[in-house]
Amino acid sequence: MGSVRVHSDFGVYLESLQIRDADSIAENANDYELARGVGLSHFPHPYGRSDALAFIERATAAFAGGIETHFGIHMDDGTLIGILGLSGLDKADRKGEAGYWLGRKYWGKGYGKKAVRLLLHFGFEDISLNRISALVYPFNETSAKLLRGLGFQKEGTLREASTDGKIMLDADIFALLKKDYREDADIVTEGFDAGSFAH
Ligand SMILES: CC(C)(COP(=O)(O)OP(=O)(O)OC[C@H]1O[C@@H](n2cnc3c(N)ncnc32)[C@H](O)[C@@H]1OP(=O)(O)O)[C@@H](O)C(=O)NCCC(=O)NCCS
């Protein structure tokens, strides 16, 4: 599959990962607070170029196989500012789990919410999901706010679902269903062939 791009007039767009993204990914991802928000049990910290390359390789293979879809989040000038994606894709039940992060210098400017809106278009319209969920640590108010603002509902708390390496952590589960999804922008996906995602 060539490069896949999801865009609108948001000032940020999504593009499938390329080897050339490795340095920007490592530079932005090497941040303890960011890793803590995503989950220290699975997100490397410290985060170096080799972690970024391993991630790009894994993510590219998973995208080609229709198992996961990860994208770089870019500003309109091409700068990579973060990563997001859908994992745990279940073709039979048409569901997936969203994950996302931005480099710290880009927090709090509305980019995260816009990028997740683009991801929702990809998930609901391009790969025909019916349900998109997200797991959020209870301390992560920004992420919970972002999701609620997009119509996600909190469904409950998964008790001790994760660890930070020292203590067990609860995770709140949020989800948005296709029937509650309203796309109020002109969002376009280019270069995507849904073949490997078909049921
Ligand atoms: C979570 C994250 C992606 C959010 O992206 P962002 O661009 O910073 O968020 P936005 O600017 O789009 O704001 C989203 C919402 O949070 C609110 N918000 C932004 N910064 C906030 C802060 N510091 N405290 C509380 N609320 C905040 C915004 O007002 C907005 O709410 P609204 O839609 O009701 O106006 C980003 O902060 C991040 O990468 N954090 C570290 C990694 C992480 O935790 N990932 C999520 C794992 S579940």
Side-chain angles (χ1 to χ4, degrees):
M1 190 184 301
S3 176
V4 181
R5 190 186 267 241
V6 188
H7 60 95
S8 186
D9 58 355
F10 292 175
V12 292
Y13 65 89
L14 311 184
E15 188 164 35
S16 46
L17 296 164
Q18 325 282 332
I19 297 288
R20 65 168 184 263
D21 296 330
D23 287 330
S24 311
I25 293 174
E27 194 182 309
N28 284 294
N30 188 28
D31 181 324
Y32 180 79
E33 272 309 299
L34 186 159
R36 180 170 167 262
V38 178
L40 288 163
S41 48
H42 293 287
F43 199 82
H45 186 75
Y47 196 114
R49 183 178 157 79
S50 59
D51 296 305
L53 285 169
F55 169 67
I56 293 167
E57 196 176 318
R58 220 174 45 242
T60 305
F63 207 143
I67 297 166
E68 296 186 355
T69 62
H70 297 280
F71 295 93
I73 306 168
H74 298 261
M75 301 221 280
D76 277 349
D77 68 2
T79 309
L80 183 144
I81 63 170
I83 297 287
L84 51 53
L86 293 163
S87 57
L89 291 175
D90 182 327
K91 290 172 194 163
D93 290 332
R94 295 196 289 126
K95 62 186 179 182
E97 186 182 312
Y100 42 86
W101 62 258
L102 296 179
R104 180 190 291 258
K105 59 186 172 208
Y106 306 106
W107 292 358
K109 301 178 196 300
Y111 296 141
K113 193 170 175 183
K114 286 175 177 156
V116 175
R117 279 173 73 189
L118 296 172
L119 184 69
L120 296 179
H121 169 88
F122 182 81
F124 287 128
E125 305 296 344
D126 297 320
I127 60 171
S128 304
L129 296 181
N130 180 58
R131 172 186 161 89
I132 296 178
S133 59
L135 291 178
V136 181
Y137 293 116
F139 60 76
N140 200 341
E141 276 176 47
T142 310
S143 188
K145 225 167 162 184
L146 181 158
L147 293 169
R148 286 189 198 280
L150 292 173
F152 280 71
Q153 289 180 27
K154 181 176 160 184
E155 296 181 330
T157 300
L158 307 184
R159 297 174 306 147
E160 300 193 359
S162 182
T163 178
D164 64 3
K166 295 192 192 100
I167 56 165
M168 298 308 297
L169 296 171
D170 294 348
D172 293 333
I173 180 158
F174 287 79
L176 178 64
L177 304 183
K178 172 76 192 274
K179 65 184 176 194
D180 298 326
Y181 168 66
R182 300 279 170 272
E183 187 166 300
D184 50 6
D186 193 10
I187 300 175
V188 175
T189 302
E190 284 175 55
F192 179 63
D193 167 9
S196 48
F197 291 86
H199 181 41

